Amino acid sequence: MRRHPLVTSFVLVVAVVLGVVGTSALAVWRAAHVDEASGVDRADVILVLGAAHYGGQPSPVFRGRLDHGSLLYRNHFADRIVVLGAKRPGDALSEAEAGANYLVETGVPPYDVSVSPRGETTYESLKAAANFMEARGMESAFLVSDPWHNLRIRRMARDLGIEGYVSATWHSAARSQSTRLGGYARETFAYLYYRVFRR
């Protein structure tokens, strides 16, 4: 029995969409399981992406990122940590400031911690970080976030001229299987959105 051309076209479109989503999901998963600090000895700076804080106290997810950035610093992967993230409505401090305070309180020397408190989105935060780095002659950075963000933030960083290497924390609050699966699913579509709209 011959199919109607519209049905055939619909089936082809669905197949292509599913193929693109599936390929992207696999790429997100693979990137999440790569720690480029295992193959790169040094970078100019460590960029820690912001997350929620409560009255200046980083959330468990944010603490996981900050602790991992501190670990990279203490192991001499870079001489400076820059914390990213703008101020949210109602907050006295930006995510960057709250994160920097936490790093200093936990023993990172204040002269090796900087803040980049700009950007309402991941892309905007990384763009501000790229400007920070360019003004100081920096080119390479370790990118610290949660693992499912690896593919998107590495692509964004490199599109912005940063020689970015992902090194994610696995010690955030996002430990349950359902939380991790949700993270991968959201990131798959966030990555596709970025590839299409570049933001």
Side-chain angles (χ1 to χ4, degrees):
M1 183 177 177
R2 189 175 180 181
R3 288 182 176 175
H4 192 283
L6 287 178
V7 173
T8 302
S9 298
F10 176 76
V11 171
L12 286 174
V13 169
V14 170
V16 169
V17 169
L18 290 177
V20 169
V21 171
T23 301
S24 299
L26 181 60
V28 168
W29 184 86
R30 283 179 173 170
H33 292 80
V34 172
D35 184 351
E36 292 178 327
S38 64
V40 178
D41 294 332
R42 290 278 294 179
D44 294 326
V45 69
I46 298 159
L47 301 180
V48 179
L49 278 78
H53 69 89
Y54 308 108
Q57 297 300 312
S59 64
V61 168
F62 198 9
R63 282 202 308 273
R65 299 178 188 182
L66 293 163
D67 289 341
H68 189 72
S70 178
L71 179 65
L72 291 174
Y73 169 84
R74 294 177 194 282
N75 285 319
H76 309 292
F77 282 94
D79 295 328
R80 177 170 295 276
I81 303 175
V82 180
V83 189
L84 315 184
K87 184 185 294 186
R88 303 298 176 183
D91 287 343
L93 298 176
S94 67
E95 293 173 357
E97 291 166 325
N101 290 344
Y102 174 85
L103 288 172
V104 172
E105 290 167 3
T106 54
V108 180
Y111 47 80
D112 286 339
V113 180
S114 297
V115 297
S116 180
R118 298 175 182 84
E120 298 296 326
T121 65
T122 301
Y123 181 79
E124 290 174 356
S125 292
L126 285 171
K127 186 175 182 180
N131 292 335
F132 176 97
M133 291 173 62
E134 183 179 12
R136 291 159 180 80
M138 298 176 174
E139 298 179 352
S140 59
F142 286 107
L143 310 170
V144 179
S145 188
D146 290 287
W148 36 85
H149 297 154
N150 278 357
L151 185 66
R152 182 165 58 104
I153 63 174
R154 181 172 57 194
R155 168 72 67 169
M156 287 179 172
R158 293 183 178 178
D159 287 347
L160 289 164
I162 298 171
E163 187 180 345
Y165 304 104
V166 291
S167 184
T169 177
W170 283 96
H171 299 287
S172 73
R175 294 177 180 174
S176 71
Q177 186 70 12
S178 61
T179 303
R180 290 196 296 269
L181 288 175
Y184 287 124
R186 286 191 303 274
E187 264 312 296
T188 296
F189 290 102
Y191 175 70
L192 287 170
Y193 180 88
Y194 173 70
R195 291 301 304 273
V196 172
F197 297 105
R198 284 294 190 269
R199 58 185 181 185

